[in-house]
Amino acid sequence: RREQTRLLVERLALVARHTASAVLFTDPERRIVWVNEAFTRISGYTEAEAIGRSPAFLQGPDTSPVTTAAIREALAGNRPYQGEILNYSKSGHPYWIELEIIPHRDGEGRLAGYIGVQVEITTRKKTELALRERDERFAAISRHVTGVFYQYELSADGRGRFLFVSDAAESLWGLPPSRIVGVDQALDPYVHPEDRPPLHPPMRRSAETPCAAQSTIRYLHPARGLRHISSTDTPTRGRDGTVIWYGYASDVTDLVEAQQAVRDNEENLRVILESIPAAIFLKDDRGRWLFANPLGLARAGLLRTPWRYRTNEDFAALFPDRADYFLDCSITDEQAWRTRLPLTFEEQSTAPDG
């Protein structure tokens, strides 16, 4: 039986000697009887140092006990084992391998030993770990922002679909990710009809250029009604004509409504001020004209002159015959600004119409 094992080892060694994977043979008691050069290169142990020892000597403090228990269970049941395990080199450096252990039987069906094949996957495991840590960081960020990170694809034939949406999608759009990702035009039925051309203009320009796009659309949220959704996208173009945007979308309804309220208030104030039968002016701390009602413009003779953001000194230069009037106004404005007190005065002047 020992001779049969020796002959088997010799035949298999001819093949294993030239493979890049670490290969080792053990006897039925799981003691190493042969290793190839790749085993020595990966582990740092010479053949002489490995012969007679159990492959378990390569394991270390961070080797998973669950994995080692699974190996023992498989071998005890005379079954092959395949999996990943963390080993340690002679220098103490940890390295990952993809391990396959195959029980081998002789011609009479008796266990002759085990063949172990080890493929080093340390680089792959580091990459997987880096990707997993990146995904975990991204997930943590996504959980703490109210908006949605997404990846959106526009195919060459004009079909659009989301390839990825973060967890906040259900809150923002009122639909679970399963009803959004991979579904053509998934959100189109909920976009306000006036904001639903074949491709929203900013995104159309972004696809044609390509350049970053920023847009705000009206969205009919299934539970919350009309909302305003703002998105910022950066496109990449594939060789097949596909455009993929990486973007972020958020609900800006409160901001849009506040801006509209400001515009409404400004319009109401404008109507009120224009209806007051008195000249009214509004200037900033640099003396620039920000507002004047029609009576005020008529009083200053500026009804037909561009006046916004100009100063009294500008008007004095434009109208030399009325320079004294505008320069006097500057003196009065400066006095009022310096004292921060209301200033009341009377003046007599001639209107442009005489």
Side-chain angles (χ1 to χ4, degrees):
R1 180 181 177 187
R2 187 179 298 275
E3 179 64 17
Q4 289 177 333
T5 300
R6 185 185 66 80
L7 293 174
L8 171 66
V9 168
E10 290 179 355
R11 287 195 296 268
L12 292 176
L14 291 174
V15 178
R17 186 171 288 113
H18 302 288
T19 180
S21 301
V23 180
L24 58 88
F25 302 149
T26 75
D27 61 19
E29 286 72 39
R30 306 172 196 168
R31 294 186 296 261
I32 296 174
V33 297
W34 184 87
V35 298
N36 69 347
E37 293 180 3
F39 174 90
T40 297
R41 174 176 52 79
I42 294 172
S43 71
Y45 291 96
T46 66
E47 182 177 16
E49 291 171 323
I51 296 298
R53 304 176 73 174
S54 165
F57 86 96
L58 296 170
Q59 298 166 12
D62 289 330
T63 301
S64 169
V66 175
T67 300
T68 56
I71 294 173
R72 289 194 298 270
E73 181 182 353
L75 299 186
N78 292 317
R79 300 188 307 273
Y81 174 83
Q82 188 172 15
E84 298 175 356
I85 189 170
L86 182 68
N87 278 350
Y88 286 78
S89 68
K90 184 178 179 179
S91 64
H93 182 73
Y95 63 95
W96 282 95
I97 61 169
E98 192 171 70
L99 172 64
E100 184 172 11
I101 304 174
I102 306 168
H104 181 74
R105 299 185 181 278
D106 60 22
E108 298 177 2
R110 293 174 299 186
L111 182 65
Y114 298 91
I115 303 171
V117 180
Q118 303 176 353
V119 179
E120 186 180 9
I121 57 171
T122 303
T123 301
R124 191 188 81 190
K125 293 293 288 187
K126 287 182 177 179
T127 301
E128 291 175 352
L129 177 61
L131 292 174
R132 185 163 60 250
E133 291 176 344
R134 181 204 63 184
D135 291 344
E136 289 173 354
R137 287 194 296 269
F138 180 74
I141 294 172
S142 297
R143 286 193 298 270
H144 290 87
V145 298
T146 57
V148 174
F149 295 101
Y150 61 85
Q151 187 182 29
Y152 186 83
E153 176 188 70
L154 179 68
S155 62
D157 60 6
R159 293 181 296 108
R161 60 174 181 163
F162 286 92
L163 304 180
F164 166 82
V165 295
S166 57
D167 294 341
E170 186 161 5
S171 173
L172 181 68
W173 289 314
L175 300 172
S178 59
R179 291 182 55 188
I180 299 174
V181 175
V183 180
D184 288 353
Q185 280 78 37
L187 300 182
D188 282 12
Y190 303 92
V191 176
H192 192 284
E194 294 178 4
D195 295 341
R196 200 194 307 158
L199 188 62
H200 201 54
M203 292 192 74
R204 186 187 304 115
R205 290 191 295 271
S206 175
E208 293 169 351
T209 310
C211 62
Q214 198 285 327
S215 62
T216 300
I217 62 170
R218 289 165 290 179
Y219 182 81
L220 303 174
H221 194 286
R224 302 169 63 193
L226 181 64
R227 311 299 295 175
H228 296 267
I229 307 297
S230 177
S231 62
T232 302
D233 322 85
T234 301
T236 59
R237 185 182 297 278
R239 293 182 179 179
D240 60 353
T242 298
V243 180
I244 296 179
W245 284 272
Y246 298 86
Y248 178 77
S250 60
D251 190 322
V252 293
T253 303
D254 291 345
L255 174 62
V256 170
E257 291 179 348
Q259 291 173 336
Q260 184 60 48
V262 170
R263 287 193 293 270
D264 292 343
N265 289 336
E266 289 177 345
E267 177 61 18
N268 292 337
L269 178 61
R270 184 188 64 79
V271 172
I272 292 172
L273 292 177
E274 290 184 354
S275 66
I276 294 176
I280 299 176
F281 308 95
L282 175 64
K283 304 172 187 177
D284 64 13
D285 60 342
R286 295 166 58 183
R288 296 180 304 177
W289 288 43
L290 304 180
F291 173 83
N293 67 350
L295 284 178
L297 293 175
R299 171 72 180 78
L302 298 175
L303 282 173
R304 295 181 178 84
T305 303
W307 55 270
R308 197 177 300 274
Y309 302 118
R310 287 184 168 180
T311 65
N312 289 322
E313 287 76 7
D314 294 332
F315 298 133
L318 285 173
F319 305 105
D321 57 327
R322 286 184 283 142
D324 290 344
Y325 166 77
F326 288 112
L327 293 177
D328 287 343
C329 288
S330 290
I331 295 172
T332 304
D333 292 344
E334 175 63 24
Q335 182 181 355
W337 181 257
R338 186 174 61 254
T339 62
R340 296 293 198 275
L341 296 174
L343 181 64
T344 302
F345 62 94
E346 295 181 359
E347 65 176 18
Q348 181 177 354
S349 60
T350 303
D353 60 2

